């Protein structure tokens, strides 16, 4: 149920 | 040259058990600040950040910043050979492709060296800005573990909703549904049993229970867990490590299709 978002959609590479 | 002596060696054993299900290989970064790690799970849904501050070690020598790639299952195998009361020292020479874990019994009558091969890990390091969260829930870690375990026998996802009534954990699946509400409960004489809810505004988010259950493997590190929620951000599930630092798990939410 629902779409799993990715952590990289929220935090960018340093 | 790197030499880190941790009197309470069991902390390192517990840290490994807490993260090795989520992450297979990771770089441990050593600097003047401390011994740290940041790694994502293979599907990039969850992230773990660990910090053990330099001050928490009895002896902390790190001549230059060093990143050591380790297979966490192999590291856990070695650390399982340390007694729970053992002092653990992590040693590495500059440029070496191995790390040594030294275990000393409390009476100093047994000393063991375990040398482990390091590996090259190409890992992405994410910048995590400090955020204001809409709701922060602090509750007993054993209670949170129990809730995640109980709900995962009913459904695959948990909806965490914070209102002024309390924090509600909900799930549903083929056999039915479940709701568990925890209200604020500040017991003055037993702070470890308290549930404290700081809410700026109500928030409700959906997460995969599989990851939440994995995070609760850190429960032995801390009596309390802090869950920080905002509608536009991953949840942060934090376990403080006694006067040394923390282990934080970040989990991206699920959204409606």
């Amino acid at each position: 149920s629902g779409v799993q978002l990715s952590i990289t959609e929220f935090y960018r590479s340093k | 040259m790197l030499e880190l002596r941790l009197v309470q060696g069991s902390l390192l054993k517990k840290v490994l058990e807490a993260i090795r299900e989520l992450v297979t290989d990771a770089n441990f970064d050593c600097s003047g600040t401390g011994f740290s790690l940041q790694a994502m799970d293979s599907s990039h849904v969850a992230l773990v950040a660990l910090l053990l501050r330099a001050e928490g070690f009895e002896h902390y020598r790190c001549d230059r910043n060093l990143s050591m790639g380790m297979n966490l299952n192999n590291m856990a195998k070695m650390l399982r050979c340390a007694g729970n009361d053992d002092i653990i020292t992590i040693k590495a020479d500059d440029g070496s492709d191995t790390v040594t874990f030294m275990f000393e019994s409390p009476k100093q009558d047994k000393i063991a060296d375990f040398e482990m091969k390091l590996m090259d890990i190409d890992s992405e390091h994410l910048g995590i800005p400090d955020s204001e969260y809409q709701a922060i829930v602090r509750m007993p870690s054993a209670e949170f573990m129990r809730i995640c375990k109980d709900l995962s026998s009913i459904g695959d996802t948990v909806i965490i909703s914070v209102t002024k009534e309390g924090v509600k954990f909900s799930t549903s699946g083929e056999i039915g549904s479940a709701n568990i509400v925890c209200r604020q409960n500040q017991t003055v004489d037993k702070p470890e049993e308290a549930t404290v809810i700081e809410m700026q505004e109500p928030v409700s988010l959906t997460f995969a229970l599989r990851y939440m259950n994995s995070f609760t493997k850190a429960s032995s590190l801390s009596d309390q867990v802090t869950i920080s929620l905002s509608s536009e951000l991953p949840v942060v599930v934090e376990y403080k490590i006694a006067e040394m630092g923390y282990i934080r798990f970040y989990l991206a939410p699920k959204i409606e299709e």
Side-chain angles (χ1 to χ4, degrees):
Chain A
S1 58
V3 178
Q4 176 65 64
L5 300 177
S6 162
I7 205 89
T8 51
E9 291 173 56
F10 297 93
Y11 304 131
R12 299 269 160 246
S13 286
K14 266 204 235 178
Chain B
M1 174 78 181
L2 171 100
E3 200 169 282
L4 319 179
R5 183 176 156 92
L6 183 62
V7 174
Q8 207 180 335
S10 59
L11 284 181
L12 196 60
K13 288 164 69 86
K14 288 177 185 173
V15 162
L16 254 288
E17 294 305 322
I19 59 178
R20 70 183 183 84
E21 188 179 277
L22 197 67
V23 178
T24 313
D25 301 319
N27 284 315
F28 282 86
D29 298 312
C30 202
S31 73
T33 314
F35 192 61
S36 66
L37 168 149
Q38 192 202 84
M40 281 184 281
D41 77 297
S42 58
S43 49
H44 291 189
V45 169
L47 179 143
V48 54
L50 162 77
L51 175 66
L52 298 175
R53 290 186 198 91
E55 305 85 72
F57 291 83
E58 191 208 33
H59 171 72
Y60 191 94
R61 179 180 169 186
C62 176
D63 295 346
R64 64 183 72 185
N65 291 0
L66 196 62
S67 188
M68 296 184 289
M70 302 192 210
N71 175 285
L72 299 188
N73 278 321
N74 292 345
M75 188 177 175
K77 277 182 197 171
M78 298 218 164
L79 292 181
R80 269 185 228 127
C81 301
N84 279 332
D85 300 330
D86 281 3
I87 299 163
I88 298 182
T89 303
I90 304 168
K91 289 199 273 190
D93 290 322
D94 291 339
S96 168
D97 58 357
T98 62
V99 61
T100 298
F101 302 106
M102 189 172 92
F103 310 141
E104 292 170 70
S105 66
K107 289 180 186 165
Q108 307 279 312
D109 53 352
K110 180 181 169 189
I111 296 170
D113 279 282
F114 285 70
E115 192 181 72
M116 189 177 82
K117 290 173 188 160
L118 295 175
M119 55 199 292
D120 283 327
I121 298 166
D122 190 18
S123 73
E124 201 177 349
H125 212 84
L126 301 181
I128 302 170
D130 286 334
S131 305
E132 292 282 321
Y133 286 90
Q134 288 167 340
I136 299 174
V137 176
R138 186 160 58 77
M139 63 188 295
S141 56
E143 185 62 52
F144 179 61
M145 179 166 70
R146 175 73 196 266
I147 290 169
C148 291
K149 182 171 163 282
D150 287 350
L151 293 186
S152 55
S153 61
I154 313 289
D156 297 329
T157 58
V158 57
I159 303 170
I160 307 180
S161 311
V162 183
T163 63
K164 57 180 192 303
E165 308 302 320
V167 55
K168 183 168 79 169
F169 301 89
S170 310
T171 194
S172 62
E174 280 178 22
I175 63 165
S177 61
N179 294 293
I180 300 171
V181 178
C182 296
R183 294 208 174 88
Q184 177 140 303
N185 162 29
Q186 276 174 289
T187 321
V188 180
D189 53 338
K190 287 184 179 172
E192 70 277 10
E193 290 179 11
T195 296
V196 181
I197 298 166
E198 291 170 37
M199 190 192 74
Q200 308 300 323
E201 50 188 304
V203 58
S204 182
L205 286 159
T206 304
F207 300 101
L209 272 168
R210 183 164 70 86
Y211 291 96
M212 285 290 183
N213 264 316
S214 169
F215 302 164
T216 63
K217 297 220 178 300
S219 300
S220 63
L221 283 163
S222 184
D223 288 334
Q224 292 253 305
V225 60
T226 305
I227 305 159
S228 303
L229 298 145
S230 268
S231 49
E232 301 295 322
L233 288 172
V235 63
V236 189
V237 178
E238 180 185 70
Y239 297 85
K240 292 234 183 307
I241 302 172
E243 293 159 31
M244 280 205 82
Y246 57 77
I247 182 159
R248 289 178 187 152
F249 298 99
Y250 298 78
L251 178 60
K254 294 183 91 169
I255 54 164
E256 293 300 320
E257 282 178 76

